[in-house]
């Protein structure tokens, strides 16, 4: 009985250590949960701030413009066979970040390297046409940036504007015969559809990689040829474009 009585009053250190360890574990778990909640709230606030942040930015881009079919035929007199080749694309602009992930910008683009290289045949006789094309375009664009909670922000957008297309002198060859037709400048309605992704390299600088379908309107010949007056010819100037650039936010 004495031994039992003594045992009931004795405190064993191991029991105390286990109790303290359990309490510390519960405290650590509670602290980790609180930290996770704080971080989640901070991330949410950061995303909300990014979505509502406004301000001006400037941009510059370089890329390639790959012409689509010109839509016509020299032999039928309604255009040119084949596509317009490919061209370097240079573009610069200024824009503004709007609330709720929208942004707008005004860009000026230059495409100096398009060309006509039409090749057909009639009764075994080749019929070709060749000319250089240059295009300038002013576009007003709007984009929607998709916030991902990371430095990457996919976007979609589109633009409307005006293109100034210059068709240089066209050289026609029918078998061994050759004549030329003066080119012409034409102002056309232009529009684009775009998609891409931005990468926030710093708080102020974003790298932009994008694809764009661009319709630059029409090109047209003058009708003044080395053989006399001829009917002018129209052709569509459209392109798939890939570009990379940077945006600097003030």
């Amino acid at each position: 009985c004495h031994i039992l009585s003594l045992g009931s009053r004795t405190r064993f250190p191991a029991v105390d250590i286990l109790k303290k360890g359990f309490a510390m574990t519960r405290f650590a778990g509670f602290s980790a949960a609180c930290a996770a909640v704080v971080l989640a709230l901070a991330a949410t606030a950061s995303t909300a701030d990014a979505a509502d942040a406004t301000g001006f930015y400037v941009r510059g881009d370089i890329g390639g413009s790959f012409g689509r079919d010109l839509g016509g035929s020299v032999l039928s007199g309604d255009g040119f066979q084949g596509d317009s080749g490919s061209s370097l694309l240079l573009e610069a602009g200024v824009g503004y970040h709007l609330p709720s992930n929208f942004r707008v910008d005004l860009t000026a683009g230059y495409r100096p390297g398009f060309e006509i290289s039409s090749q057909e045949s009639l009764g075994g006789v080749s019929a070709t046409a060749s000319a250089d094309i240059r295009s300038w375009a002013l576009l007003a664009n709007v984009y929607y940036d998709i916030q991902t909670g990371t430095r990457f922000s996919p976007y979609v957008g589109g633009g409307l504007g005006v293109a100034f297309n210059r068709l240089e002198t066209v050289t026609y060859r029918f078998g061994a015969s050759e004549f030329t037709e003066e080119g012409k400048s034409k102002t056309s309605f232009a529009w684009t559809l775009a998609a891409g992704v931005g990468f926030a390299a710093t708080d102020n600088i974003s790298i932009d990689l994008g694809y764009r379908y661009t319709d630059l309107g029409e090109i047209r010949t003058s009708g003044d040829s080395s053989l006399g007056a001829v009917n002018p010819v129209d052709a569509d100037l459209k392109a798939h474009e890939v570009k990379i650039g940077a945006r600097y936010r003030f």
Side-chain angles (χ1 to χ4, degrees):
C1 294
H2 178 71
I3 293 173
L4 292 173
S5 176
L6 177 63
S8 63
R9 294 194 303 269
T10 302
R11 299 289 299 276
F12 292 96
V15 175
D16 291 339
I17 291 173
L18 289 174
K19 289 182 177 179
K20 291 180 179 179
F22 179 69
M24 291 180 65
T25 300
R26 291 180 62 187
F27 178 76
F30 178 74
S31 299
C34 289
V37 171
V38 170
L39 289 175
L41 291 174
T44 301
S46 177
T47 301
D49 290 343
D52 292 333
T54 60
F56 286 97
Y57 66 89
V58 292
R59 68 178 303 158
D61 299 88
I62 186 170
S65 187
F66 306 94
R68 298 193 63 202
D69 192 87
L70 290 167
S73 167
V74 172
L75 294 176
S76 61
D78 62 356
F80 301 97
Q81 187 84 324
D83 59 41
S84 56
S86 60
S87 173
L88 174 70
L89 167 63
L90 299 173
E91 195 168 63
V94 59
Y96 190 82
H97 283 273
L98 298 169
S100 302
N101 301 325
F102 285 96
R103 57 187 167 88
V104 294
D105 59 34
L106 180 66
T107 58
Y110 179 50
R111 300 161 181 83
F114 286 131
E115 62 180 358
I116 292 173
S117 183
S118 179
Q119 297 184 357
E120 302 175 68
S121 64
L122 179 64
V125 178
S126 65
T128 67
S130 60
D132 293 329
I133 305 169
R134 292 176 292 161
S135 180
W136 297 260
L138 292 175
L139 294 167
N141 309 286
V142 59
Y143 307 93
Y144 180 78
D145 294 313
I146 303 170
Q147 299 299 326
T148 63
T150 70
R151 289 183 177 270
F152 293 93
S153 298
Y155 65 84
V156 293
L160 302 175
V162 60
F164 307 94
N165 303 320
R166 173 63 187 177
L167 175 63
E168 302 296 345
T169 299
V170 184
T171 299
Y172 298 94
R173 294 182 177 88
F174 293 93
S177 302
E178 177 181 309
F179 74 96
T180 60
E181 182 181 2
E182 291 297 320
K184 187 176 182 179
S185 296
K186 181 173 174 58
T187 302
S188 293
F189 171 73
W191 60 271
T192 67
L193 292 175
V197 60
F199 174 74
T202 69
D203 290 341
N204 300 98
I205 299 175
S206 293
I207 306 302
D208 189 315
L209 177 63
Y211 161 81
R212 186 168 63 186
Y213 177 82
T214 302
D215 186 330
L216 295 166
E218 291 183 337
I219 54 174
R220 176 177 294 173
T221 63
S222 65
D224 299 324
S225 80
S226 56
L227 299 179
V230 295
N231 291 326
V233 176
D234 293 328
D236 298 323
L237 190 58
K238 303 175 182 178
H240 297 289
E241 299 182 325
V242 178
K243 60 177 185 169
I244 187 169
R247 303 192 303 266
Y248 181 82
R249 183 170 182 167
F250 296 100

